Amino acid sequence: MKRSGTLFILILLLFSCIEKNENIGSATGTSFGEINSISIVIDDNLWNGEIGDTLRKKWAAPVDGLPQEEPLFTLNQYPTKIFEGMVKKNRNIIVVKKGKKTDFVHQKNRFADPQQLFYITANSSAELVKLVELKSAEIIKKIKESEIVENQKRFLKTPVSDQLIQEKFRVKMALRTNYKYELVAKNFLWIRRELATGYNSLLLYEVPISQIEKDHNIVNNIIKVRDSIGKRYIHGSLGKTWMITEKAYSPYFLQTQINHKLAFETKGTWQLKNDFMAGPFINYAIIDPKNNRYLILDGFTYNPSKSKRDLVFELEAMMKSVVFLP
């Protein structure tokens, strides 16, 4: 029995990948890179084959909730022979290569700060594909979380005052520069940033817990509330036009947490009723039992014929910075 147990352990070690999560702490200098971009260090012969196809399928998959197809991350490929100098200073790096053993290593701040660095190694193309399939969700989660933090750090360099938010809703929030208070009402705020070809908007409002949880149809009730808010406050330039949730497609919906509070994330497309304006939205309904309410943060983008991924991500980063005051 003892001998067979040892044999089982050896087999398990042989066929399982080795994961090492190391905070190296030897970074020299500040990392750089556009938000939501990843440097893929991989030789051309692997990038142009099945392995490259798998990487693109996982990390350049379409973002949920956008009206046009846009990739989850922007991927920039570099051959392994040039993995030096400034390439090592990128904020998000994934190194994919063939080696003698199957190995997965995650390191933070190895060559710059902040930095997420991943090594994926296997002895065959088939094993590399398996390892990418196995670890892709974890990599996406870690990079997205770090990109949220990076975005928030950039906001705080030149922040907009959140004093009105604190006074009305008893929460703090990091707001990006150039956002202005568009409309201030009793239990409602509309904050907006003008773009060259549109705008980014953030709404804050609150409703009783019973209004979201009645009939146990949470997603439907969230949509009803946001549509009522749109009809009351968000109007077009033409008469009898207001913001509604597009009904042609079911919104994406999931349960999550924001700063340790239960929240529901809803993503989809908004449009102006009786008009042609439309775009993506992202909504967080955060339960606040202490005050018997749901605090609702609703971000929406209007940027016709332009990329919207990073604009929606900007709204997500601001909303996830919320901190409830005592």
Side-chain angles (χ1 to χ4, degrees):
M1 177 67 74
K2 184 175 182 180
R3 184 178 176 185
S4 62
T6 303
L7 180 60
F8 173 79
I9 293 171
L10 288 173
I11 292 172
L12 185 64
L13 290 173
L14 179 63
F15 289 99
S16 64
C17 68
I18 304 167
E19 179 173 353
K20 305 164 189 173
N21 292 294
E22 301 176 9
N23 190 341
I24 298 300
S26 59
T28 56
T30 303
S31 63
F32 68 93
E34 296 294 327
I35 291 293
N36 291 324
S37 65
I38 301 176
S39 296
I40 307 289
V41 180
I42 181 173
D43 288 334
D44 293 343
N45 63 316
L46 301 180
W47 178 250
N48 295 323
E50 181 186 8
I51 296 169
D53 290 342
T54 303
L55 302 181
R56 288 183 286 272
K57 178 182 176 183
K58 292 296 183 181
W59 300 322
V63 179
D64 293 338
L66 296 186
Q68 292 88 32
E69 191 170 293
E70 296 185 48
L72 185 62
F73 298 107
T74 300
L75 306 183
N76 302 299
Q77 182 250 340
Y78 301 93
T80 54
K81 64 183 178 182
I82 67 168
F83 184 41
E84 56 187 21
M86 294 307 293
V87 177
K88 286 187 174 181
K89 298 293 185 180
N90 280 290
R91 193 170 59 258
N92 301 307
I93 302 173
I94 302 174
V95 181
V96 182
K97 61 182 180 179
K98 288 186 178 180
K100 292 183 178 180
K101 62 178 181 178
T102 297
D103 199 10
F104 175 78
V105 179
H106 172 218
Q107 297 177 346
K108 295 175 65 176
N109 307 334
R110 177 65 180 89
F111 303 112
D113 185 11
Q115 186 178 67
Q116 297 284 341
L117 175 62
F118 303 88
Y119 290 91
I120 297 175
T121 309
N123 60 10
S124 68
S125 295
E127 290 302 314
L128 274 175
V129 168
K130 286 182 182 178
L131 193 51
V132 170
E133 295 274 1
L134 179 66
K135 293 296 182 179
S136 61
E138 176 184 341
I139 292 172
I140 288 170
K141 183 175 184 292
K142 290 183 183 297
I143 290 180
K144 184 172 180 180
E145 288 174 347
S146 65
E147 291 297 87
I148 289 286
V149 172
E150 175 63 21
N151 231 345
Q152 292 169 348
K153 285 167 58 178
R154 295 183 183 190
F155 300 159
L156 293 174
K157 290 180 180 179
T158 53
V160 171
S161 172
D162 67 343
Q163 188 61 40
L164 266 177
I165 295 175
Q166 293 187 42
E167 291 172 0
K168 286 188 169 295
F169 299 105
R170 303 177 298 285
V171 296
K172 297 178 66 175
M173 185 181 294
L175 299 178
R176 185 190 188 278
T177 186
N178 295 332
Y179 274 83
K180 297 179 180 179
Y181 290 90
E182 182 76 12
L183 178 60
V184 179
K186 183 179 179 181
N187 293 306
F188 174 84
L189 286 177
W190 179 5
I191 307 166
R192 187 161 86 162
R193 177 166 80 91
E194 295 290 335
L195 309 170
T197 55
Y199 53 81
N200 235 19
S201 285
L202 174 62
L203 310 179
L204 292 91
Y205 50 96
E206 59 186 4
V207 295
I209 289 177
S210 59
Q211 192 167 346
I212 297 297
E213 297 186 357
K214 65 180 180 181
D215 305 324
H216 304 289
N217 195 341
I218 290 177
V219 61
N220 188 56
N221 293 332
I222 288 172
I223 296 301
K224 284 182 178 178
V225 168
R226 81 177 304 275
D227 285 351
S228 68
I229 290 292
K231 186 173 185 178
R232 183 172 183 178
Y233 295 111
I234 315 299
H235 302 145
S237 57
L238 303 176
K240 296 183 178 179
T241 59
W242 61 87
M243 186 175 72
I244 61 172
T245 305
E246 184 177 351
K247 295 178 172 58
Y249 303 99
S250 297
Y252 294 89
F253 179 75
L254 61 87
Q255 181 176 308
T256 184
Q257 283 197 342
I258 295 182
N259 284 336
H260 309 294
K261 286 188 176 293
L262 175 67
F264 297 100
E265 176 185 289
T266 311
K267 297 169 69 175
T269 305
W270 65 271
Q271 63 184 96
L272 276 189
K273 186 177 179 66
N274 302 320
D275 203 341
F276 297 101
M277 294 177 66
F281 76 86
I282 180 168
N283 176 296
Y284 287 102
I286 309 171
I287 190 169
D288 180 17
K290 178 182 176 182
N291 295 294
N292 189 34
R293 65 170 178 168
Y294 270 90
L295 175 68
I296 300 182
L297 313 176
D298 194 300
F300 62 98
T301 295
Y302 178 65
N303 197 32
S305 303
K306 302 290 184 181
S307 173
K308 302 169 183 62
R309 179 194 67 185
D310 292 345
L311 291 171
V312 174
F313 193 73
E314 174 181 293
L315 293 167
E316 181 180 350
M318 288 195 296
M319 291 188 279
K320 286 185 173 178
S321 72
V322 69
V323 175
F324 285 74
L325 299 175

